[in-house]
Amino acid sequence: MSNKSLKNINTTPVADLKNVHVRLSSRAGQVHILRGVNLQIGPGEQIGLVGPSGSGKSTLMMIMAGLERPTSGSVIMAGRDFSGLSEDGLADFRRDQLGIVFQSFHLVPTMTALENVALPLELAHDPEAFEKASEILNEVGLSTRLDHYPVQLSGGEQQRVALARALVASPPVLLADEPTGNLDQTTGHQIMDLIFRLTEARGTTMFLITHDVALAKRCQRVMHMRDGILEE
């Protein structure tokens, strides 16, 4: 590879967290949820995070999504320093830069699969919202379910819709919090195969939280969270 080609490779971290602490007050006193987390994730990397319940995994993802703010430390995602963003600014950032998939599908029950997937593009005033939504629903194998409501879909189908919605705007980062937690083993494996295929095809950076160590090992890097401390 030439020196010129090397210069064109983007090595700027997609996620750059430094000395992040989260402390919350409770009746029993202060609870230290995250304890000095440092994390860098490069473009296109896949990170699998495992750890016991209550160790701080979901809190870390909420911090990375700008859905919670750290007590101290710095969070820079896709080149944006969260400390300088208002709540509206964080919402705009999530819309444009992040895809998020949760264990619970969080679909709008009064909207069809097509409408759910098109929603983030409509909020961004994309004139091709429904065309793009239809294309990605076809990509996740739901071309015949566009007009179905969430209650008419199986759990696996609902998670496919949620994944399509998370990726329809081609965000550089996908955050996935136990995306197979509400699914049976076979369906869960199908969903994860789909997630890996779609993110790899798009060069999407993925941060995956899971209790399944074997699943985490499919990622390029595996990290562990214990009592609010992140270890690789």
Side-chain angles (χ1 to χ4, degrees):
M1 183 180 293
S2 69
N3 289 335
K4 182 178 180 181
S5 297
L6 287 170
K7 290 178 181 178
N8 290 332
I9 296 175
N10 181 13
T11 57
T12 302
V14 171
D16 190 1
L17 283 67
K18 294 180 180 176
N19 199 28
V20 170
H21 290 260
V22 173
R23 300 178 180 87
L24 297 177
S25 298
S26 70
R27 292 181 179 179
Q30 195 173 74
V31 181
H32 205 164
I33 299 175
L34 295 183
R35 303 169 179 265
V37 168
N38 293 291
L39 173 64
Q40 279 196 346
I41 305 175
E45 273 198 291
Q46 301 165 341
I47 306 296
L49 177 63
V50 295
S53 297
S55 61
K57 302 188 305 296
S58 293
T59 298
L60 176 58
M61 196 196 85
M62 297 289 276
I63 292 292
M64 294 171 69
L67 291 167
E68 292 184 15
R69 291 189 184 267
T71 306
S72 60
S74 68
V75 179
I76 299 174
M77 295 289 295
R80 300 297 300 275
D81 188 337
F82 280 7
S83 65
L85 295 179
S86 64
E87 292 304 318
D88 286 344
L90 287 170
D92 289 342
F93 176 85
R94 283 191 293 272
R95 181 193 67 200
D96 298 333
Q97 303 294 327
L98 294 181
I100 306 176
V101 179
F102 295 98
Q103 178 175 335
S104 300
F105 316 121
H106 293 302
L107 300 178
V108 181
T110 57
M111 289 184 171
T112 65
L114 182 64
E115 290 167 339
N116 265 283
V117 176
L119 182 59
L121 296 179
E122 284 194 290
L123 293 173
H125 308 291
D126 188 329
E128 299 179 343
F130 283 92
E131 180 182 342
K132 292 177 179 178
S134 179
E135 288 176 358
I136 195 168
L137 281 167
N138 181 60
E139 198 171 353
V140 300
L142 293 178
S143 59
T144 62
R145 311 289 271 172
L146 304 186
D147 297 325
H148 288 67
Y149 291 91
V151 71
Q152 298 172 308
L153 302 173
S154 69
E157 288 172 333
Q158 289 186 63
Q159 194 62 298
R160 286 171 186 262
V161 174
L163 176 61
R165 182 181 60 187
L167 294 176
V168 69
S170 298
V173 183
L174 177 69
L175 305 178
D177 190 358
E178 296 285 359
T180 63
N182 283 340
L183 305 174
D184 62 76
Q185 188 175 43
T186 299
T187 304
H189 286 163
Q190 292 172 349
I191 291 296
M192 285 312 307
D193 287 345
L194 185 60
I195 289 176
F196 278 102
R197 177 169 63 81
L198 292 176
T199 53
E200 287 171 1
R202 289 165 168 77
T204 308
T205 301
M206 180 172 67
F207 185 79
L208 170 68
I209 293 174
T210 179
H211 282 97
D212 187 340
V213 176
L215 177 56
K217 287 182 177 179
R218 290 183 61 179
C219 298
Q220 294 162 343
R221 290 164 60 194
V222 179
M223 310 195 82
H224 298 262
M225 182 73 81
R226 295 184 179 88
D227 297 323
I229 297 174
L230 187 65
E231 304 170 345
E232 186 160 7

